[in-house]
Amino acid sequence: MDKTLLKKLSEELQGELLTDDLSKALYATDASVYRKTPTAVAYPKKAKDLKVLVAFANKNEVGLIPRTAGTSLAGQCVGEGIVVDVSRHFTQILELDEKKKQIKVQPGVVRDELNQYLKPFGLFFGPNTSTSNRCMIGGMVGNNSSGTTSIQYGVTRDKVVALSCILSDGSEAHFGDLDEGAFHSKKIGNSLEGKIYAALEKELSDQDNIKNIQDEFPKPSIHRRNTGYAVDELLKNSVFGTETDDFNLGKLLSGSEGTLAFTTEITLQLDDLPPPLSAMVATHYKTLEDCLSDVAPVMQHSLHTCEMMDKVILDCTKNNRAQFANRFFVDGDPAGILMLEVKAHSEEHLEKQLVALLQTIEASGLSYANPILKGNDINKAIELRKAGLGLLGNMVGDRKAVACIEDTAVALEDLKDFIMEFSQIMKGYNQEAVYYAHAGAGELHLRPILNLKKSEDVALFRAITTDVAKLTKKYKGSFSGEHGDGIVRAEFIPLMIGNANYELLKRVKSVFDPNNIFNPGKIVDAFPMDESLRYEIDRKEPEVETLMDFSDSEGILKAAEKCNGSGDCRKSHNMSGGMCPSYHATKNEKDTTRGRANALREFLTNSEKPNRFDQKELKAVFDLCLSCKACASECPSNVDVATLKAEFLFQYQESNGYPLRSKLFAHNTRLNRLGSKMSGLTNAVYKSNILVGLLKSVSGVAKERSFPQVHNFDFGKHLKKHRTSIDSDKKVVLYIDEFTKYLDVEVGQDAIELLCKLGYNIELFYGESGRTYISKGFLKQAKKLVEANISKLGGILEKNTPIIGLEPSAILSFRDEYKRLHDNKDKVDQLASNSFLIEEFLASEIEKGHIIPESFTSDEREVKIHNHCHQKALSNQKVTFDILNLPKNYKVTIIPSGCCGMAGSFGYEKEHYKTSMQVGELKLFPAVRKSKADTIISANGTSCRHQIKDGTERDAQHPVSILLQALVD
């Protein structure tokens, strides 16, 4: 398209219009297997912007592709027109009517955040997708989303009261309940809205059309029905049927995937909060058939959840750091698990329901284990199930569980027979499928495992989808239960509902959108389902050499390709977890884990440069990555962007040179070593406003930051002073890392004193971890340090003496990056298994009874904990909580914060200072400020303590310092 046209369009918008290669690459994919590069990406600010876009689209014959979180599995959000992202500005909760239990919102409101807002009013929005912590109401309406709660609360269509929309001619329309008289009034006049009502009256009054709809559409008992436009729903009212309900075009627009109108406001019907008490039975089965056989009997009970996971999904959870802990209830190696939840307002009623459910389960005799979960254990199990989609990305290599037939829904009485026939189809293709999701609603997310880079598997992609579509039609099921038609299933709509009904849908589309500007190629006149795939078919795989070892993913490109677009990284700071702090601050897609993985995949695949990493676009996407590693544990596909960034920086700088500031930060330990030799002079310079100002200006450090004091301290002498016994069999190696040695000397002192007083025989190990080199991409230098440290630690490792560290980013590198930087895997594995945070070590000693509460004060104190990001990602926070609870009257809580925002050198860099402080202000700073003046703030990261000081003027202490102060002499 002519760039001058786009430039003129940009000038007319209050919001933004982006046409750069990076933005278009980021929006070329969603969570589906498709890739279409858009013409531009728009971020409209107001409804007026949408009208401008509609006018431009009509005049220039370009499509508008609506998008919120971009988690669509069927390709709804990809297209070659203008992607219109409303997730940034259309995010307001507009009006709550408590009496009617209704709420009006804009389409960019996140489902879980809406329910956080509603909870104090005793209300909630029922439909609950696995993406609920980032999916948005507009997308849920577009897809007619359902989720785990649909068996109790229905689907999104059931909850839509009214929609305010921009029509294809730029006019505004409000679609809500209409009785017969109001309906007939609406069809009068020449407006597009009037023409729509007149056309629908003509179509839905035609007896042949009515008969075709009744004969060909999915069984009415299937409430997850999303095939084509829901014209069957428009017959269930007082205007066209015998029912008393009013006519509401919102029924049709729900599930229309943005192909009929552009929604600006949504009014929803709410429900009372579910009963507060819950119990879940997790029935385990040796065969899939046994599992499915139990669905119909257990659904005779009033279940709030009836979900299924199969062995493939369960096996994926073994390799995910966050989800492995949620497997606690899994007994043995089941072929399938049903998760059956009952709720009640009283313990008595809950127990009654539970007993009745267990009687049904035991009567069938098909399950071999039936653990009962209560309280937070239920949430853990549900999180395990919710992670299912993303966890499929954990499959190493090019063969993936592909979304194409994953949305089939059949009547409950047909479920077992349908699955058995489906299994035979899969056997015919030598396929092992994945089974998971909403068993109680008659829907299982079935996925074949295919390599869509190969033409033979692309042929299977079409063949399997076609055969399963025919099977679904045989059972009069819905081929699109809740994920929509998009690209992958729209081609099969004529098969599913018949040609006559398909022609009706085309006429509906034509009256709403005569110029086909709204999301073209979806539902009608569909794009082919086996074209425009994410990967070029039968391509020669790019050869990408790296310094770090990515063999666990078969190379760095496939490490990036593990991202399947599920968008877990788009959850906001209001949700649990820390991923992704830069996105929390900016709300830009480029600052998500998904955005970075997609960009890396895109440019490594398509670059023609000798160094494929030498791309300004990659420099832009990695710029705000804080290397917090939250994605390494929270991303269900285990996309570790911090590691990808380290490799990128190395490769990019090899071609473009290493900047002065990066050299200063990377070689910071060497500089601190020199400074410590004349620490008085060094610190005097740091305290001089003139000299330090000049230093900051030259080095590109934010003027608001202060430099830490440098020290010269003899830890060996300190150890001799405090050592109580050298004969103790309680021997440990205390790792004095580069931060402890030169900057946080008092933490090292306190650790030595604490361990000595607790009776441990300490050996000191001095060594630079390489953290500063890794974070700045100086990987050659980091690799040399890794080799030197492992060599020096050889004797210690042979004795299996625990190596305990104080600074998480240093000691945990032994368990993380060292595995990618050293060639001897046995040695590095031995180091990893023998290296511990000091909190981990002390917690294990408490558990063994070697450290007791009686050794500590009985004074009452309040302690609030902020833990280092790397601890959250690579270890756990509970160990810090446990050790700080040793003093029996200490009231300890963990601040539910993500990254502090400092992230080593990141927060010092002048162009990153603002983002750094924005991240701190999300959760951490407010929590610290709200604390009483005598509350102890615990932070085990050196950067964290510095950031807390700069952001709140409060001093935070390392946990060992807090314990030393609490120790009774």
Side-chain angles (χ1 to χ4, degrees):
M1 177 173 282
D2 189 341
K3 290 183 179 180
T4 58
L5 289 174
L6 293 172
K7 186 174 186 294
K8 185 178 178 182
L9 173 61
S10 177
E11 291 169 354
E12 292 181 42
L13 296 173
Q14 287 182 279
E16 290 181 88
L17 185 77
L18 304 179
T19 58
D20 60 283
D21 289 343
L22 174 58
S23 296
K24 291 192 289 186
L26 293 174
Y27 283 84
T29 55
D30 52 11
S32 72
V33 298
Y34 298 102
R35 175 181 174 273
K36 283 179 175 287
T37 303
T39 301
V41 179
Y43 298 100
K45 271 193 174 180
K46 303 289 182 183
K48 182 181 176 182
D49 279 351
L50 294 174
K51 292 181 181 182
V52 170
L53 288 165
V54 165
F56 181 88
N58 278 311
K59 184 177 180 179
N60 296 282
E61 298 181 347
V62 63
L64 301 176
I65 301 99
R67 180 169 172 135
T68 50
T71 58
S72 301
L73 291 167
Q76 292 95 318
C77 292
V78 300
E80 292 166 347
I82 300 174
V83 173
V84 184
D85 185 347
V86 298
S87 69
R88 187 180 296 179
H89 300 300
F90 283 71
T91 58
Q92 298 299 307
I93 295 173
L94 301 172
E95 183 182 343
L96 173 64
D97 187 327
E98 288 186 72
K99 187 175 181 180
K100 290 183 178 179
K101 298 181 182 178
Q102 294 177 357
I103 193 162
K104 184 189 294 185
V105 301
Q106 291 183 317
V109 171
V110 174
R111 186 268 183 190
D112 280 0
E113 293 185 20
L114 173 62
N115 279 346
Q116 285 182 342
Y117 170 83
L118 291 169
K119 189 174 181 180
F121 301 98
L123 300 169
F124 86 124
F125 175 60
N128 179 29
T129 66
S130 62
T131 57
S132 63
N133 64 0
R134 68 266 190 199
C135 78
M136 297 175 180
I137 301 300
M140 294 184 75
V141 172
N143 273 358
N144 185 33
S145 298
S146 304
T148 59
T149 58
S150 69
I151 55 178
Q152 279 285 342
Y153 297 104
V155 300
T156 300
R157 179 181 289 129
D158 301 326
K159 305 300 179 185
V160 172
V161 175
L163 299 173
S164 295
C165 301
I166 307 294
L167 300 182
S168 63
D169 65 348
S171 61
E172 296 184 26
H174 181 78
F175 299 116
D177 286 344
L178 300 174
D179 61 23
E180 193 168 357
F183 176 88
H184 290 299
S185 296
K186 280 281 188 180
K187 67 181 183 180
I188 299 170
N190 274 333
S191 69
L192 179 54
E193 183 181 5
K195 291 176 183 177
I196 290 169
Y197 280 105
L200 288 174
E201 182 189 41
K202 180 182 176 182
E203 298 287 4
L204 299 178
S205 298
D206 186 295
Q207 291 304 308
D208 288 338
N209 286 344
I210 293 171
K211 187 176 187 306
N212 285 332
I213 291 169
Q214 292 171 341
D215 289 347
E216 298 286 351
F217 267 65
K219 289 181 180 180
S221 61
I222 303 170
H223 69 271
R224 291 166 178 264
R225 43 199 295 113
N226 229 25
T227 301
Y229 298 132
V231 291
D232 54 334
E233 291 291 324
L234 296 185
L235 297 175
K236 301 174 183 178
N237 53 71
S238 61
V239 178
F240 295 107
T242 58
E243 300 182 24
T244 59
D245 290 348
D246 288 338
F247 181 92
N248 192 327
L249 260 182
K251 301 285 186 185
L252 183 73
L253 291 171
S254 297
S256 66
E257 302 179 7
T259 62
L260 300 180
F262 211 110
T263 303
T264 58
E265 294 179 0
I266 303 161
T267 303
L268 300 169
Q269 189 64 50
L270 307 172
D271 288 290
D272 292 326
L273 284 171
L277 303 177
S278 302
M280 177 179 283
V281 183
T283 52
H284 291 49
Y285 302 90
K286 293 180 179 178
T287 69
L288 195 63
E289 185 174 0
D290 286 347
C291 183
L292 293 167
S293 295
D294 259 0
V295 173
V298 299
M299 279 300 293
Q300 299 303 310
H301 298 267
S302 182
L303 299 179
H304 281 250
T305 302
C306 180
E307 300 289 303
M308 174 190 167
M309 290 185 291
D310 79 339
K311 175 177 166 55
V312 177
I313 290 286
L314 289 167
D315 284 350
C316 285
T317 66
K318 295 177 181 178
N319 301 318
N320 181 267
R321 290 168 182 155
Q323 295 306 326
F324 182 78
N326 291 337
R327 288 176 49 90
F328 67 94
F329 66 95
V330 179
D331 187 343
D333 189 25
I337 291 178
L338 286 180
M339 299 163 60
L340 312 172
E341 186 181 18
V342 291
K343 289 177 175 284
H345 288 283
S346 69
E347 290 286 357
E348 182 182 2
H349 188 216
L350 183 68
E351 187 63 24
K352 187 177 179 180
Q353 289 189 73
L354 192 57
V355 168
L357 177 60
L358 288 169
Q359 286 175 347
T360 299
I361 294 166
E362 290 163 4
S364 81
L366 297 174
S367 57
Y368 70 83
N370 307 305
I372 299 170
L373 312 180
K374 291 189 177 182
N376 194 46
D377 284 348
I378 295 175
N379 295 329
K380 293 177 183 177
I382 290 173
E383 283 303 309
L384 189 75
R385 150 65 190 88
K386 279 189 171 187
L389 164 64
L391 289 169
L392 294 174
N394 276 339
M395 301 176 75
V396 176
D398 289 330
R399 297 182 75 242
K400 303 291 184 185
V402 174
C404 55
I405 55 172
E406 89 296 345
D407 206 23
T408 55
V410 296
L412 208 54
E413 65 269 16
D414 297 327
L415 181 61
K416 179 183 173 184
D417 291 341
F418 174 84
I419 294 297
M420 292 302 105
E421 286 196 55
F422 168 81
S423 297
Q424 289 304 310
I425 292 174
M426 291 296 101
K427 284 181 181 178
Y429 288 109
N430 294 316
Q431 274 286 318
E432 179 187 358
V434 178
Y435 304 77
Y436 77 104
H438 318 290
E443 178 172 20
L444 290 178
H445 295 324
L446 314 163
R447 295 189 181 212
I449 299 173
L450 301 169
N451 176 7
L452 293 185
K453 294 180 180 178
K454 301 295 183 184
S455 54
E456 55 266 33
D457 275 20
V458 173
L460 280 177
F461 179 51
R462 173 173 285 280
I464 290 170
T465 306
T466 302
D467 284 353
V468 175
K470 291 176 180 177
L471 177 65
T472 307
K473 178 64 176 177
K474 172 184 173 181
Y475 283 94
K476 210 175 179 186
S478 176
F479 200 38
S480 299
E482 64 171 340
H483 294 163
D485 296 313
I487 298 174
V488 75
R489 283 178 289 274
E491 194 180 324
F492 298 92
I493 293 175
L495 168 65
M496 301 309 302
I497 63 172
N499 286 322
N501 283 324
Y502 182 64
E503 290 301 318
L504 170 59
L505 300 195
K506 290 175 72 174
R507 293 193 297 273
V508 170
K509 166 71 171 176
S510 181
V511 70
F512 269 93
D513 183 19
N515 292 332
N516 195 26
I517 64 168
F518 288 138
N519 215 2
K522 321 294 164 58
I523 299 187
V524 300
D525 299 319
F527 295 130
M529 61 87 67
D530 52 0
E531 296 179 11
S532 300
L533 298 175
R534 185 176 288 207
Y535 306 112
E536 180 185 346
I537 300 169
D538 293 329
R539 76 185 189 191
K540 181 183 178 183
E541 284 295 304
E543 295 181 7
V544 185
E545 296 293 326
T546 58
L547 188 145
M548 299 179 91
D549 180 8
F550 290 92
S551 59
D552 56 341
S553 296
E554 299 183 1
I556 191 170
L557 179 56
K558 290 183 183 178
E561 289 175 352
K562 286 195 301 185
C563 174
N564 59 17
S566 63
D568 298 66
C569 45
R570 281 184 62 101
K571 64 186 178 182
S572 81
H573 68 281
N574 295 313
M575 302 294 109
S576 62
M579 182 176 65
C580 178
S582 53
Y583 174 74
H584 294 165
T586 69
K587 300 299 183 186
N588 285 333
E589 175 71 19
K590 79 174 182 66
D591 298 321
T592 63
T593 301
R594 178 175 72 179
R596 289 165 180 137
N598 277 339
L600 188 62
R601 168 186 52 76
E602 187 81 19
F603 289 100
L604 289 185
T605 300
N606 299 312
S607 174
E608 295 181 358
K609 290 187 175 183
N611 180 354
R612 291 174 182 266
F613 293 90
D614 185 11
Q615 309 285 343
K616 68 180 187 302
E617 292 87 357
L618 292 180
K619 189 173 186 295
V621 294
F622 284 115
D623 181 56
L624 291 186
C625 171
L626 284 80
S627 298
C628 68
K629 288 193 173 288
C631 50
S633 60
E634 293 178 32
C635 170
S637 300
N638 288 357
V639 177
D640 181 357
V641 170
T643 302
L644 299 179
K645 178 181 179 179
E647 183 68 41
F648 160 74
L649 286 174
F650 167 70
Q651 300 287 351
Y652 185 84
Q653 291 170 150
E654 283 290 291
S655 290
N656 294 280
Y658 291 77
L660 172 62
R661 186 177 64 189
S662 293
K663 290 178 181 177
L664 293 174
F665 280 125
H667 295 292
N668 186 250
T669 301
R670 186 178 298 176
L671 296 174
N672 286 336
R673 186 182 302 120
L674 291 172
S676 70
K677 295 182 184 300
M678 39 188 175
S679 58
L681 178 60
T682 302
N683 294 331
V685 170
Y686 288 171
K687 290 177 180 178
S688 166
N689 291 334
I690 295 174
L691 294 176
V692 82
L694 181 62
L695 186 57
K696 288 176 183 178
S697 178
V698 170
S699 60
V701 168
K703 65 180 186 302
E704 296 86 352
R705 294 294 186 188
S706 59
F707 286 139
Q709 299 291 288
V710 177
H711 302 276
N712 187 353
F713 186 77
D714 188 340
F715 286 99
K717 189 174 182 181
H718 191 71
L719 174 59
K720 287 180 181 178
K721 178 181 177 182
H722 291 279
R723 176 175 275 152
T724 56
S725 172
I726 57 172
D727 299 321
S728 172
D729 57 1
K730 295 163 65 175
K731 187 168 184 178
V732 297
V733 173
L734 179 62
Y735 173 38
I736 304 296
D737 58 72
E738 61 267 37
F739 308 103
T740 305
K741 186 172 183 181
Y742 298 114
L743 305 177
D744 294 311
V745 167
E746 69 283 353
V747 175
Q749 295 170 346
D750 290 348
I752 289 171
E753 291 179 39
L754 177 67
L755 290 170
C756 286
K757 289 180 178 180
L758 291 173
Y760 291 93
N761 182 5
I762 304 171
E763 177 182 345
L764 299 180
F765 171 70
Y766 300 93
E768 184 179 355
S769 68
R771 171 57 57 198
T772 59
Y773 288 129
I774 294 167
S775 68
K776 287 298 172 188
F778 287 60
L779 296 186
K780 290 178 180 177
Q781 293 89 336
K783 188 173 177 65
K784 287 180 182 178
L785 276 177
V786 170
E787 291 167 352
N789 284 339
I790 289 179
S791 176
K792 286 189 286 184
L793 286 165
I796 293 170
L797 293 176
E798 286 178 8
K799 299 174 185 176
N800 288 322
T801 307
I803 303 166
I804 58 179
L806 299 166
E807 168 55 38
S809 67
I811 187 68
L812 292 176
S813 65
F814 292 3
R815 302 207 311 230
D816 188 27
E817 291 93 349
Y818 274 42
K819 293 184 176 183
R820 300 190 186 278
L821 288 167
H822 197 274
D823 299 328
N824 190 321
K825 300 307 174 189
D826 291 336
K827 284 186 178 180
V828 80
D829 285 345
Q830 188 180 13
L831 173 63
S833 63
N834 223 41
S835 301
F836 307 93
L837 282 170
I838 193 166
E839 295 99 313
E840 291 175 323
F841 174 75
L842 294 175
S844 68
E845 292 293 280
I846 294 168
E847 195 172 326
K848 294 171 186 174
H850 296 165
I851 303 174
I852 57 175
E854 287 72 22
S855 300
F856 295 86
T857 182
S858 59
D859 292 348
E860 294 184 2
R861 294 297 301 271
E862 185 176 11
V863 182
K864 290 190 178 294
I865 301 170
H866 168 76
N867 283 318
H868 192 284
C869 289
H870 291 188
Q871 177 183 354
K872 296 169 187 172
L874 303 170
S875 176
N876 69 81
Q877 300 195 74
K878 187 175 181 296
V879 290
T880 306
F881 179 82
D882 288 347
I883 68 166
L884 291 180
N885 268 294
L886 267 172
K888 59 185 179 181
N889 290 324
Y890 274 23
K891 182 182 177 183
V892 184
T893 55
I894 297 174
I895 299 171
S897 52
C899 180
C900 72
M902 180 67 90
S905 64
F906 179 89
Y908 276 90
E909 294 161 355
K910 63 181 180 181
E911 72 274 22
H912 296 148
Y913 174 77
K914 182 179 177 181
T915 301
S916 169
M917 300 307 282
Q918 284 177 325
V919 172
E921 288 290 356
L922 293 171
K923 284 188 176 180
L924 177 59
F925 293 170
V928 172
R929 291 190 194 110
K930 288 178 185 176
S931 302
K932 297 175 183 175
D934 61 349
T935 297
I936 300 172
I937 306 298
S938 169
N940 58 357
T942 181
S943 292
C944 306
R945 292 191 294 275
H946 197 140
Q947 177 78 329
I948 289 169
K949 180 67 173 178
D950 283 359
T952 69
E953 298 184 354
R954 292 282 295 270
D955 291 314
Q957 299 181 67
H958 194 287
V960 298
S961 301
I962 298 170
L963 277 187
L964 179 63
Q965 293 162 19
L967 193 64
V968 178
D969 292 330

